[in-house]
Amino acid sequence: MENDATDQSLRRSDISRRVVALREGLLRAGVSMAYLAPDQVNNPNVFDDHVDAAVRTFQQQRGLMVDGVAGPETERALAEAQFKLGSRRLVYDPARTVLRGDDVTELQRQLSFLGFYYGHIDGEYGQRTHLAVRELQLNLGLEATGVADGILISAMERINRTISPSQAFSLRDYERLSQASANLRGRTIAIAPGSGVGAEATVADASSGQPLTEKFVASDVSSRVGKILTELGASVEIIDQQPVDGSDVRADLIKATSPSLSIAIHCDWLPQPAANGVSAFFWGRPESGEVRSPIGHRAAELILKEVVARTGSTSLGLHGRSWDILRLPSTPSVQLDIGYLSSPLDSSRLADPIYRQILADSIVIAIQRLYLLEEDDEPTGTLALDDVLRFNPPF
């Protein structure tokens, strides 16, 4: 989490030379606010109310956790926002750190609209983007270097075809999904329970009497999901890792497993006990409604619908976010928030092992529906675990 006490995050009332760089970075990222520029204040080293408001505005625009803390994810997003397409040469070198930035995102989007790029728009200049640039260069009669430089950008600007919003990048993913077997056997599913940050509920687990924390609840539901999937023949990776120096390291661990699907399971907390319900998140931009992972969006939609239909919980909707846990190249990713531990209603439900089993069943059934052909699919809330077994016969 960004506000972990051991990290090097900047927050309100901090005094540091790094605040000056933060102010300048926010300005370059397009955040316009009075008294944000270093030359507009008496002491630019102070993280004052104006910097706090600017950080929150930037976080809101990027779909990050809006807490006013310049932590690892916010700093990473801010660094990426410094680059506009054409401001630097984009080169893929597998021996070096992959380039990330808004310029790469815009390049991927334009390549997608032109029909050359079919991957997730993840803002990473990896091999797939490199190959797409090479293909475009070949089609434009340019030297096929795979380097996105000024020559290529100028050539793209001269293309007469109008670039308009599209989801061309999703076509290959959908084709691969439609050709895939409904059988879950052999698939790798990554499940990442919440890290346990936050207060505990006022009730305890009805079975063991343990304190009802996010770590306990999310880990238990994840374990139940993993058990069912394993029995169906899937390979399950439980990514149960605490944040390191304020940074959520689960994304890198998930990437290493190359899963077919990634699901992070969390609980929420608010000082307002009336807040209750479940919500699901996918890789996308909230301010524009842009879906950057259509399969992740579909998986999040199915999971949320199944959970709401089978538990009667309030649906708090489907939301695009730019969190690292969702931004996994070529991996559809979902974060499911299964309730508020601060809510007497939600916490009493989550304290019941039977309810947690229903949650796990709902998630597994939604995963199965993701891989079903249209003619085999069933309406939300009607498919049973026995039906899932039918699609996954033993050897």
Side-chain angles (χ1 to χ4, degrees):
M1 302 292 289
E2 294 216 326
N3 57 354
D4 188 283
T6 63
D7 67 22
Q8 298 299 311
S9 304
L10 289 172
R11 49 180 57 79
R12 191 187 305 209
S13 300
D14 281 353
I15 301 176
S16 169
R17 292 182 180 179
R18 292 170 54 211
V19 176
V20 178
L22 176 61
R23 289 174 179 271
E24 294 173 341
L26 288 165
L27 289 168
R28 287 194 297 270
V31 179
S32 178
M33 190 165 294
Y35 305 108
L36 177 61
D39 59 1
Q40 293 179 338
V41 294
N42 293 329
N43 189 350
N45 295 323
V46 177
F47 195 119
D48 57 21
D49 290 347
H50 303 288
V51 178
D52 177 83
V55 169
R56 291 175 185 272
T57 297
F58 177 76
Q59 290 171 326
Q60 182 69 40
Q61 292 173 347
R62 295 279 161 159
L64 300 170
M65 190 71 68
V66 181
D67 57 7
V69 177
E73 284 198 16
T74 298
E75 289 186 342
R76 188 157 47 247
L78 192 58
E80 294 172 12
Q82 307 302 303
F83 300 104
K84 306 300 180 185
L85 185 59
S87 64
R88 59 174 175 168
R89 296 173 75 251
L90 297 173
V91 182
Y92 170 65
D93 184 349
R96 302 178 63 182
T97 302
V98 176
L99 294 178
R100 297 175 64 169
D102 282 10
D103 52 347
V104 182
T105 297
E106 179 59 27
L107 175 64
Q108 289 174 332
R109 184 181 291 112
Q110 293 195 23
L111 289 169
S112 165
F113 301 154
L114 291 171
F116 292 95
Y117 180 76
Y118 298 94
H120 290 185
I121 298 179
D122 53 22
E124 295 189 2
Y125 201 82
Q127 184 179 35
R128 184 175 294 184
T129 308
H130 166 80
L131 294 175
V133 168
R134 280 177 52 90
E135 186 177 354
L136 175 59
Q137 289 170 326
L138 285 170
N139 279 266
L140 293 176
L142 303 174
E143 183 180 0
T145 62
V147 176
D149 53 16
I151 296 176
L152 176 69
I153 303 305
S154 297
M156 290 178 68
E157 292 174 350
R158 292 193 298 268
I159 297 176
N160 293 327
R161 179 176 177 177
T162 301
I163 298 176
S164 59
S166 159
Q167 285 190 351
F169 65 91
S170 68
L171 297 179
R172 190 167 296 179
D173 282 346
Y174 275 119
E175 179 65 18
R176 183 163 54 247
L177 190 67
S178 67
Q179 293 178 359
S181 165
N183 200 315
L184 298 178
R185 187 177 303 278
R187 298 186 188 277
T188 298
I189 309 294
I191 307 174
S195 63
V197 175
E200 64 186 54
T202 56
V203 297
D205 174 50
S207 176
S208 66
Q210 294 190 53
L212 203 66
T213 63
E214 181 188 41
K215 181 174 178 58
F216 174 81
V217 174
S219 295
D220 183 70
V221 174
S222 297
S223 176
R224 292 171 186 270
V225 172
K227 181 179 179 181
I228 301 172
L229 290 174
T230 300
E231 291 174 351
L232 294 172
S235 175
V236 177
E237 296 285 344
I238 302 292
I239 311 296
D240 190 1
Q241 182 72 37
Q242 297 288 335
V244 176
D245 294 330
S247 180
D248 190 344
V249 299
R250 293 177 301 168
D252 291 334
L253 295 175
I254 293 171
K255 286 180 185 179
T257 69
S258 300
S260 304
L261 179 68
S262 169
I263 303 174
I265 299 176
H266 285 251
C267 299
D268 213 332
W269 178 280
L270 279 179
Q272 172 53 260
N276 69 90
V278 295
S279 52
F281 304 87
F282 60 92
W283 171 230
R285 292 292 292 272
E287 74 278 10
S288 64
E290 179 185 1
V291 175
R292 291 188 170 180
S293 174
I295 307 302
H297 176 271
R298 173 63 174 162
E301 179 182 43
L302 288 171
I303 292 173
L304 181 63
K305 285 184 175 180
E306 289 292 340
V307 168
V308 170
R310 295 169 188 275
T311 66
S313 295
T314 301
S315 173
L316 299 179
L318 199 62
H319 310 281
R321 290 293 185 268
S322 300
W323 302 331
D324 283 357
I325 196 71
L326 301 174
R327 181 180 180 166
L328 301 173
S330 304
T331 300
S333 305
V334 177
Q335 176 168 315
L336 177 68
D337 284 8
I338 56 178
Y340 287 83
L341 294 180
S342 51
S343 161
L345 174 62
D346 284 355
S347 59
S348 63
R349 288 173 166 175
L350 293 170
D352 184 355
I354 296 177
Y355 181 84
R356 298 198 297 269
Q357 186 61 52
I358 295 173
L359 282 172
D361 294 348
S362 304
I363 294 170
V364 171
I365 289 170
I367 293 173
Q368 180 64 80
R369 288 188 63 195
L370 179 66
Y371 294 108
L372 290 181
L373 297 176
E374 184 175 354
E375 58 268 24
D376 293 326
D377 197 10
E378 298 287 346
T380 298
T382 62
L383 205 64
L385 277 181
D386 287 344
D387 298 312
V388 176
L389 292 172
R390 176 166 52 87
F391 292 111
N392 297 271
F395 285 132

